[in-house]
Amino acid sequence: LPFELAHAEVSSKYRELAGFADGTVHFGPQVDLELGVRYSHNKQSAHQASSGILAAGPELFAHSSENVFTWSAAPKFKLTKNATIYARVAKGFRPGGPNVLPPGAPPEFATYNSDSLISYEAGVKAESADHRLSLDAAAFHIDWKDIQLFAVESGFGFNANGSSAKVEGVEFAAAFRPMQGLDLSVNGAYT
């Protein structure tokens, strides 16, 4: 009699419907405010089945759905024709969903949640009148919640959610063009 060592079948479906709008409000020749919003609904499903001597396990079904609203706001002030200071605050999102699990994995690992963040940034972009010297510099702060990560529990690897984190730093880029055909640049970041 023939026998089956292992057979695994995984199918999944992800559907998302979203709408967004963005625009800029001009408060005179020097001040702009960019605003953006996005609303989305996502729905996921997964089916996992395995059989055979080495892979027999229960049939698993997982479903999730979420409604998500994200936004951004970015004021900008033009100091001169060639120099601007700006700020930006925005909310970001990554959907959660079903996991693919090996036979015998605990069923509580079948799904993981979405994670989200709010990002704050402020900076300056400037260039000399002759375009030979330019500078971009920014500072940022990110508040991140329910961080998605890869975890291992009882020998099983799966997607999971961690706690929260804060990320802060600065970055810059400067360029100097002393003559045509020669560009010198330096950039750096500290996180």
Side-chain angles (χ1 to χ4, degrees), residues 70-152:
T70 56
W71 48 267
S72 68
K76 185 167 42 172
F77 181 71
K78 297 172 190 164
L79 297 169
T80 67
K81 179 181 173 185
N82 297 322
T84 301
I85 58 174
Y86 68 93
R88 184 172 192 268
V89 60
K91 181 177 181 184
F93 162 84
R94 256 189 323 188
N99 275 314
V100 174
L101 297 175
E108 61 266 21
F109 301 152
T111 62
Y112 60 102
N113 296 326
S114 61
D115 63 356
S116 65
L117 60 80
I118 297 182
S119 168
Y120 306 87
E121 180 180 351
V124 61
K125 293 178 183 264
E127 187 174 52
S128 62
D130 63 2
H131 307 294
R132 296 176 108 191
L133 183 63
S134 64
L135 172 69
D136 292 345
F140 59 88
H141 173 89
I142 299 170
D143 290 318
W144 196 355
K145 294 182 181 174
D146 297 323
I147 300 169
Q148 292 178 9
L149 46 83
F150 187 75
V152 177

Side-chain angles (χ1 to χ4, degrees), residues 6-98:
H7 176 79
E9 189 175 317
V10 178
S11 62
S12 65
K13 186 184 288 187
Y14 179 88
R15 289 176 284 178
E16 183 173 15
L17 181 63
F20 67 93
D22 58 10
T24 303
V25 180
H26 302 285
F27 296 100
Q30 291 180 290
V31 180
D32 295 337
L33 176 61
E34 295 178 12
L35 299 169
V37 294
R38 183 179 190 269
Y39 177 81
S40 66
H41 173 76
N42 70 66
K43 189 182 270 189
Q44 298 182 63
S45 62
H47 170 245
Q48 178 178 329
S50 59
S51 60
I53 297 170
L54 300 176
E59 198 167 7
L60 299 174
F61 297 92
H63 302 277
S64 69
S65 68
E66 293 178 285
N67 297 309
V68 181
F69 178 74
T70 56
W71 48 267
S72 68
K76 185 167 42 172
F77 181 71
K78 297 172 190 164
L79 297 169
T80 67
K81 179 181 173 185
N82 297 322
T84 301
I85 58 174
Y86 68 93
R88 184 172 192 268
V89 60
K91 181 177 181 184
F93 162 84
R94 256 189 323 188

